[in-house]
């Protein structure tokens, strides 16, 4: 990591009841990086994102965002500091229109004053959403709903976005489009944490990556180093 760290996680433990979901997790994300987190089902990837975002409370550890320890903060304060997340399963409001969903995303103090401008930006990035601004979100296709989830996140003007399985359940052409959007947002200056079942693609996209196994970071390196790593190839790339 060459850039200044925007996020530093240290000594992070998360428990669900008596069961440890994250143990002693440490990672760094540099400003402007794309960092991938890979791991098997149940490894703790979503738990890590949810803990960073304040949805789960860690038992121990520090989560430094631009040097400030946000561990244990409520999610809305984390979002208001500039950390966005696009959750697994997208979690849009099905009964609201496209535009109403975006307005919910623009409700944070952070994005409130600039809501109209941010909405225009989202519509420029996703013309399909502009065409369908009055449509109920629940009637949109899976790909459109993923675009909406990303758009809603952008309404909060995040500096860092954590994506949890953004390609899940999407057709290959749409998957390419979603990854293209993630790359474009990164080029525009947004730092990215990417959790993705599609390990080959995510390691190609990522500058660096971490491997999570049973709640612990067991390996890290550049995307290319992990693509070439024998253990990673066997466990996650089926080679
Ligand atoms: N709310 C919860 N209550 C209790 N246990 C949970 C909860 N959420 C997750 N777990 C458990 O924590 C562990 C890590 O789950 P998590 O969802 O973080 O894994 P993951 O790496 O995202 O998996 P997947 O690839 O299937 O999405 C699993 O054993 C899971 O059963
Ligand atoms: Mg998950």
């Amino acid at each position: 990591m060459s850039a200044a760290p925007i996020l530093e996680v240290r000594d992070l433990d998360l428990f669900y009841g008596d069961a440890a979901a994250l143990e002693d997790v440490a990672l760094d994300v540099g400003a402007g990086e794309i960092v991938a987190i890979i791991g098997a089902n149940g490894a703790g990837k979503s738990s890590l994102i949810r803990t960073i975002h304040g949805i789960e409370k860690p038992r121990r550890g520090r989560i430094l965002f631009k040097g400030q320890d946000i561990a244990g903060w409520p999610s809305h304060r984390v979002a208001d500091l500039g950390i966005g997340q696009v959750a697994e399963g997208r979690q849009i409001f099905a009964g609201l229109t496209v535009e109403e969903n975006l307005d919910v995303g623009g409700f944070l103090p952070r994005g409130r004053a600039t809501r109209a401008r941010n909405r225009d930006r989202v519509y420029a990035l996703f013309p399909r959403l502009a065409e369908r601004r009055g449509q109920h979100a629940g009637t949109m296709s899976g790909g459109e709903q993923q675009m909406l989830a990303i758009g809603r996140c952008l309404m909060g003007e995040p500096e860092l976005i954590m994506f949890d399985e953004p390609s899940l359940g999407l057709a290959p052409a749409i998957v390419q489009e979603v990854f293209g959007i993630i790359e474009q947002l990164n080029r525009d200056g947004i730092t990215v944490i990417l959790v993705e079942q599609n390990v080959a693609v995510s390691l190609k996209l990522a500058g660096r990556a971490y491997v999570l196994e049973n709640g612990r970071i067991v390996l890290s390196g550049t995307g290319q180093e992990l693509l070439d790593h024998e253990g990673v190839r066997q466990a996650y790339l089926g080679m």
Side-chain angles (χ1 to χ4, degrees):
M1 188 190 65
S2 48
I6 189 167
L7 187 78
E8 300 158 273
V9 174
R10 295 289 178 269
D11 312 317
L12 194 69
D13 291 346
L14 172 73
F15 282 72
Y16 295 114
D18 292 334
L22 297 173
E23 288 185 272
D24 221 16
V25 166
L27 59 88
D28 291 298
V29 178
E33 277 195 303
I34 298 180
V35 170
I37 314 277
I38 65 174
N41 293 125
K45 305 178 299 295
S46 298
S47 296
L48 176 57
I49 287 184
R50 291 163 57 81
T51 305
I52 293 170
H53 214 265
I55 299 159
E56 310 291 350
K57 301 280 175 253
R59 178 175 289 188
R60 184 177 75 101
R62 285 172 297 151
I63 301 167
L64 302 172
F65 182 65
K66 297 199 282 187
Q68 182 168 27
D69 191 355
I70 60 167
W73 282 27
S75 197
H76 67 95
R77 285 189 62 205
V78 173
D80 206 37
L81 212 56
I83 304 181
Q85 63 141 358
V86 179
E88 192 173 4
R90 308 192 261 279
Q91 303 188 355
I92 49 141
F93 298 103
L96 300 184
T97 65
V98 166
E99 186 137 316
E100 286 164 348
N101 268 275
L102 294 181
D103 284 344
V104 171
F107 189 66
L108 288 169
R110 185 181 177 84
R112 210 176 280 159
T114 46
R115 183 156 69 181
R117 193 188 71 201
N118 290 334
R119 194 198 285 139
D120 289 347
R121 273 206 198 133
V122 168
Y123 284 150
L125 190 62
F126 302 111
R128 286 295 284 277
L129 296 183
E131 287 164 21
R132 290 159 186 268
R133 63 180 76 196
Q135 185 172 331
H136 280 119
T139 63
M140 310 252 287
S141 74
E144 289 164 350
Q145 291 187 19
Q146 185 59 266
M147 308 292 170
L148 179 56
I150 296 171
R152 190 180 63 189
C153 177
L154 291 172
M155 293 294 291
E157 294 187 2
E159 290 177 56
L160 164 68
I161 301 182
M162 301 185 288
F163 290 91
D164 196 352
E165 312 278 8
S167 80
L168 197 70
L170 301 183
I174 310 294
V175 169
Q176 284 315 309
E177 204 178 327
V178 168
F179 285 131
I181 292 288
I182 292 172
E183 274 190 298
Q184 184 178 338
L185 293 174
N186 180 250
R187 276 197 303 274
D188 291 346
I190 295 178
T191 305
V192 171
I193 293 180
L194 179 60
V195 165
E196 194 30 74
Q197 289 287 335
N198 199 332
V199 171
V201 178
S202 83
L203 289 180
K204 279 181 194 135
L205 216 60
R208 291 185 313 109
Y210 292 87
V211 181
L212 199 55
E213 276 178 20
N214 297 318
R216 290 179 173 272
I217 303 282
V218 296
L219 192 63
S220 67
T222 65
Q224 190 59 49
E225 280 165 359
L226 294 196
L227 277 170
D228 294 338
H229 188 278
E230 193 54 38
V232 170
R233 290 166 70 83
Q234 283 180 11
Y236 302 106
L237 298 170
M239 291 173 182

